[in-house]
Amino acid sequence: MLAAVRDRAADPRVAAAARALSRGGEHAALWLAAGAAAAAADPARRAAWLRGTALIGAAHLVSMGVKRVVRRPRPPLAGHRAPLVRTAGRHSFPSSHAASSAAAAVAFAALAPMTRRYVPAAAAAMCASRLLVGVHYPTDVAAGALLGGLTAGAGRRWVRYG
């Protein structure tokens, strides 16, 4: 399965998009920036946007903690092309990109109708990018998404009502 997904990145357009998403998702940067921008643009709900952004940061930190305990190595490269991106660490499980992306989908969905339409699609693309660039197993991405969704889900009420 890994080889089949990774082979999709042979298309230069797919590879470029996957690289861009993966780089933007390092340390949850894309989602944290989106939350800060939304907080600046929506003064009436600024505090809620900042709480949602905090949940994304929390999901990222939780995933990094789990990663340090589990210490699963990145997928091997035997017979396949090298990864398309460099990684911040050598451990794979769970995917922190997937955790922050799922957390963004859950946390931001509580705040604006537009986010319910677009953020889950962007989060799914971010998750897929980690497989396409060759740095995660599918189970890493699934576990990261579950962890991020649960983390943000636990704080969803806090996002909306403080």
Side-chain angles (χ1 to χ4, degrees), residues 6 8-24 84-85 129 132-133:
R6 183 67 175 86
R8 289 292 302 140
D11 180 328
R13 295 168 298 179
V14 172
R19 269 202 257 8
L21 282 167
S22 284
R23 288 180 182 142
L84 297 178
V85 295
S129 78
L132 288 163
V133 298

Side-chain angles (χ1 to χ4, degrees), residues 129-147:
S129 78
R130 303 307 284 163
L131 299 172
L132 288 163
V133 298
V135 296
H136 280 291
Y137 294 99
T139 52
D140 300 336
V141 173
L146 180 63
L147 180 81

